[in-house]
Amino acid sequence: MKKILLSFFLLTFFQNVVAQTNLYENPNFDELAKTHKIIAIVPFKTQVQLRPKQMKDMSAEQLNRVEKSEGESIQTAMYSWFLKRKKRGDLQNLEIQDPRTTTAMLKKQTIDYNNIMDFTPQELAKILEVDAVISGEFETNKPMSEGASVALGVLFGFFGSTNSATINMSVHNATDGILLWNYNKKVSGSIGSNTEDLINVLMRKSSRRLAYTKNSKDKD
């Protein structure tokens, strides 16, 4: 019975997801990826689109805290996603920098969530001493990180089960700053209850075209 219910849930889950995807891959990405030993993921710049009444009741400082929480949560969820692939042998010799290390190294250069967009991926890669940087923008109408959800739940109550999200994720080469890979996807429907669920949905198909993982079979 549990297996039947799980199958029904998964079927409903994916039927409810509506997706729009744009994917760019640099023709040299495969070769360059072979030379990469370590990559870093920086916090995603986030925009939370709340309802007008919610926006009216929230200060700019509160909104910034919510968006910062979302951006850092996406970074952590992406890191976890890569670690799972590394554990099963899909990333070969590639190392993923721990977000705590990334944050500490950026902080030493007075770089944080609020000003990270003032720096180029090439500049960030040099500071972080990595071969490539994963960065991006994230937009949602329902915050999914624990910190943001708790804060908003207290202020505005229950959000409902459906939500929409758009992610624009890029991989840039460290030495010259060229764009290696860009993935822009919008999903809506029942896309999970936290950022790890969201990243799994967003990366399910795109990872087959990501040079670091494209030779592996995607299985969550």
XYZ file of all heavy atoms in Angstrom, residues 1-7:
56
model
N 0.829 -1.208 0.000
C 0.000 0.000 0.000
C 0.866 1.262 0.000
O 0.578 2.227 -0.678
C -0.919 -0.016 1.232
C -1.802 1.237 1.350
S -2.916 1.494 -0.052
C -4.066 0.141 0.257
N 1.958 1.234 0.812
C 2.833 2.401 0.881
C 3.464 2.692 -0.470
O 3.606 3.849 -0.873
C 3.924 2.175 1.936
C 3.404 2.204 3.371
C 4.540 2.063 4.358
C 4.040 2.122 5.791
N 5.140 1.968 6.769
N 3.855 1.614 -1.182
C 4.471 1.805 -2.496
C 3.475 2.393 -3.486
O 3.814 3.229 -4.310
C 5.011 0.467 -3.026
C 6.230 -0.039 -2.265
C 6.774 -1.304 -2.888
C 8.023 -1.775 -2.164
N 8.570 -3.012 -2.761
N 2.226 1.946 -3.388
C 1.179 2.458 -4.279
C 0.941 3.937 -4.012
O 0.837 4.746 -4.934
C -0.128 1.659 -4.089
C 0.064 0.202 -4.540
C -1.271 2.319 -4.879
C -1.142 -0.670 -4.282
N 0.858 4.285 -2.720
C 0.638 5.687 -2.356
C 1.808 6.558 -2.788
O 1.617 7.684 -3.258
C 0.440 5.805 -0.844
C -0.875 5.240 -0.301
C -0.881 5.299 1.221
C -2.073 6.019 -0.854
N 3.040 6.017 -2.644
C 4.219 6.778 -3.051
C 4.216 6.996 -4.556
O 4.504 8.103 -5.035
C 5.486 6.034 -2.635
C 6.820 6.695 -3.026
C 6.913 8.087 -2.399
C 7.990 5.822 -2.593
N 3.882 5.962 -5.314
C 3.836 6.080 -6.772
C 2.789 7.101 -7.201
O 3.006 7.904 -8.106
C 3.518 4.712 -7.407
O 4.522 3.784 -7.088
